[in-house]
Amino acid sequence: MRTKIVAGNWKMHKNSEETEDLLNELIDKLPTDKEVQIIVAPTFVNLQSAVSHLEYTNIGVAAQNMHQAESGAYTGEISATMLQSIGVNAVILGHSERRAYFNETDALIANKVDTAISHNMTAIFCFGEELKDRQSGNHFNIVENQLKEGLFHIQPASWENIVLAYEPVWAIGTGETASPEQAQEMHEFIRETVRKAFGSAIAENVSILYGGSVKPDNAKEIFSKPDVDGGLIGGAALKAEDFAAIVNGI
C-alpha cells in the first residue's frame, strides 16, 4: 500500500520565532490518528530547531534544497551530510521555483537525486508543466521528459528513496488549481510512465503528490482520486488550521 504524504513547503517564510510558533500550532492541531506521513520544510536556518521541536511528534522535517557536491568551495550552499548531521533525511529537489529562478536543469537535478540516494535520503522530486505547455497540448511530453531526464537513470532499488511531486506550474501561487479530474489524469499518466520503464511493482508503490494550490476546500476531492497520494503544500502550509484541514482531507 502506498504511503499517503502531506508535505508543507514553507519557502522563504518564517523567522526563528515565527517558526517555533507555527510548529507549536501544528503540534496542537494536526491529527495523530490518521495513516499519513506529515512533513514540514522550513528554511535552512530553522531546520535544526524544527527537528528538535518535533522530535517526539509524528511530524517529519525536510530541507527545501541541497547541493549535489559532498563538500567544497560552494559559498552559501548546503550539503547532504550537513543536513543529516542535524537529523534531516529528506529533501525537496527540482521545485519549479528552483528551475525558474535559479536555472536548475534536469541534469543538475539528476545529480542532486544521485547525492540524496547515495546518502539514503528521501528525495521529493518535483516536476510539472508551465501554462504555455498545457495550452499547446504539450504537457504530457514535458512531464515525461522531466521524469526521464531527472530520474530514469537510477537503479530500481533506489525508487524506495523517491517521492514524486507533480506541480502544474500554472497552478502555483496563482489561485488556479487543476481540477481533480486533471490531477488524476496526469497522475495516472505519471504512474504509467514509471510502469513502462521500471515495472508495476515500483509504479504501484511510489507515492505521487499533487502540488498546485491545494486548499482546505479542495483537498478532500483531489486526494480522493486513485493515483493522488497526497500533496506538496505551499501557501496553505503556513497556516496551521489550513494545513491541518488539508491533512484531514486524506
Side-chain angles (χ1 to χ4, degrees), residues 171-186:
I172 298 176
T174 64
E176 296 291 330
T177 309
S179 69
E181 291 73 26
Q182 286 175 313
Q184 167 57 23
E185 179 185 43
M186 183 58 84

Side-chain angles (χ1 to χ4, degrees), residues 38-224:
I38 303 170
I39 300 170
V40 295
T43 61
F44 278 132
V45 296
N46 292 312
L47 284 174
Q48 187 165 16
S49 62
V51 169
S52 177
H53 212 78
L54 298 172
E55 183 176 3
Y56 299 107
T57 74
N58 65 329
I59 307 169
V61 178
Q64 296 177 21
N65 183 40
M66 72 176 190
H67 198 273
Q68 66 275 17
E70 295 296 328
S71 62
Y74 303 104
T75 300
E77 292 294 333
I78 305 294
S79 72
T81 54
M82 291 174 185
L83 293 174
Q84 290 188 306
S85 72
I86 60 170
V88 176
N89 288 293
V91 59
I92 299 170
L93 297 176
H95 192 278
S96 61
E97 291 159 3
R98 298 296 312 178
R99 294 175 186 262
Y101 305 146
F102 301 96
N103 302 311
E104 292 199 0
T105 64
D106 289 329
L108 174 63
I109 296 162
N111 286 339
K112 292 187 177 189
V113 167
D114 290 343
T115 299
I117 290 170
S118 72
H119 288 272
N120 199 30
M121 297 179 73
T122 296
I124 302 173
F125 179 86
C126 302
F127 57 99
E129 80 280 8
E130 297 182 17
L131 182 59
K132 68 180 188 297
D133 303 315
R134 182 162 282 269
Q135 289 176 332
S136 67
N138 198 39
H139 47 296
F140 290 116
N141 288 334
I142 293 294
V143 165
E144 183 176 7
N145 286 337
Q146 288 178 336
L147 280 170
K148 288 182 175 179
E149 294 297 322
L151 278 183
F152 279 20
H153 64 286
I154 69 175
Q155 295 299 310
S158 296
W159 278 89
E160 293 183 0
N161 295 80
I162 303 298
V163 173
L164 301 178
Y166 165 63
E167 43 173 16
V169 180
W170 49 272
I172 298 176
T174 64
E176 296 291 330
T177 309
S179 69
E181 291 73 26
Q182 286 175 313
Q184 167 57 23
E185 179 185 43
M186 183 58 84
H187 280 232
E188 183 178 20
F189 172 78
I190 292 163
R191 203 174 301 284
E192 183 59 26
T193 301
V194 175
R195 188 189 321 276
K196 289 177 180 177
F198 291 92
S200 294
I202 287 173
E204 289 303 320
N205 280 290
V206 66
S207 297
I208 309 176
L209 313 185
Y210 172 74
S213 296
V214 178
K215 304 179 182 68
D217 60 0
N218 63 23
K220 189 174 183 65
E221 189 175 6
I222 292 172
F223 293 165
S224 71

